[in-house]
Amino acid sequence: MNASIQQTAIVTGAGSGIGRAIAHRLAEDGFYVIVADRAEVPALETVSQLQERGFMARAEILDITDAVATQKLIDDAAHLRVLVNNAGIFEVKAFESLTVEDFRRMYEINLVSMFTLSQQAARKLPRWGRIINLASRAAFGARNYAHYVASKAAVAGFTKALALDLGEKQITVNAVAPGVIQTDMLLARPDLHLLRDQQPTGELGVPEDIAHAVSYFADPRANFVTGQVLIVDGGRSVGGTAAF
Ligand SMILES: NC(=O)c1ccc[n+]([C@@H]2O[C@H](COP(=O)([O-])OP(=O)(O)OC[C@H]3O[C@@H](n4cnc5c(N)ncnc54)[C@H](O)[C@@H]3O)[C@@H](O)[C@H]2O)c1
């Protein structure tokens, strides 16, 4: 990183949960943070928190499915170095009740917007720029939200493909796949107590656990790491908690 110019990181969905923690962590790492979210009040709250801590940040209120708005977001970002595609939606819905519209909406926000923003950013990112995507441990399979699972498995595949496509431009592309993290999104789940019981450590994750992984991929010393999907789930993906 050029030490004399403050580099910019855009974090989508930074008005809440994991995105907010990523915004705080990247600010601590020295980035000027653009908090991009469709929810104005929470986005401004994140910016206030950052400014109170003495960091430089601003909010951009937009829906990431609006390609004109995302292009403006990229155009207006001076010294852009890092794009974190964090914004996403989650919904519990039994397979029998799922509709094509549910699937399309999930894909539109969790995947198609990620493609659009990444393509727009890639035209601007400098050598050794970073694209960091939020996938999910659920990509391995989970019950009662096939549309979400499919969208996050697609994020993992997209991340690997993009890492190859942008290799020549020396832009690294990686993903973090969180396990169960305590955020508002999680409150939508009726099975919270079961999720905790299934953790090898007996603990759910916190947003800062994910922010730490994002910080690693964003670090200027991580140039040789691309196309990776880092699972941050307290060991849940390794196996169950049974003693045999
Ligand atoms: N919380 C978990 O346990 C968990 C686990 C695995 C993966 N993830 C992924 O991590 C990411 C963040 O999750 P979270 O738990 O912090 O969610 P959250 O619901 O707390 O925050 C999501 C943020 O994205 C914003 N957003 C949603 N759709 C948007 C749109 N179309 N345009 C602009 N902003 C939009 C929301 O306003 C919100 O601020 C998501 O991609 C999610 O799928 C979360």
Side-chain angles (χ1 to χ4, degrees), residues 107-127:
Y107 264 66
E108 192 64 30
I109 295 175
N110 287 5
L111 185 71
V112 178
S113 302
M114 181 178 285
F115 154 70
T116 307
L117 247 175
S118 300
Q119 190 180 60
Q120 291 167 338
R123 296 187 184 120
K124 179 165 184 175
L125 283 168
R127 189 166 171 260

Side-chain angles (χ1 to χ4, degrees), residues 11-22 35-40 42-43 46 60-66 70 85-90 105-106 108-110 113-114 133-139 148 151-152 155 176-187 189 195 205 207 210 232:
V11 184
T12 67
S16 169
I18 293 171
R20 177 174 281 176
I22 294 169
V35 172
D37 206 299
R38 67 180 171 189
E40 183 170 5
T46 301
E60 292 288 344
I61 309 307
L62 79 165
D63 192 311
I64 55 163
T65 62
D66 178 348
T70 55
N85 286 308
N86 164 80
I89 56 167
F90 172 76
R105 184 169 145 270
M106 188 64 76
E108 192 64 30
I109 295 175
N110 287 5
S113 302
M114 181 178 285
N133 300 325
L134 266 289
S136 173
R137 191 214 60 83
Y148 179 80
S151 76
K152 291 300 185 177
V155 167
V176 181
V180 185
I181 308 298
Q182 300 174 59
T183 67
D184 290 349
M185 185 179 266
L186 198 70
L187 298 177
R189 301 189 57 149
L195 295 173
I210 306 308
V232 180

Side-chain angles (χ1 to χ4, degrees), residues 22 26 41 45 78 108 130 134-135 146 170 195-196 205 219 222 229:
I22 294 169
L26 293 183
V41 172
E45 171 74 21
E108 192 64 30
R130 303 282 197 256
L134 266 289
Q170 293 173 318
L195 295 173
R196 185 172 281 111
D219 192 293
V229 180

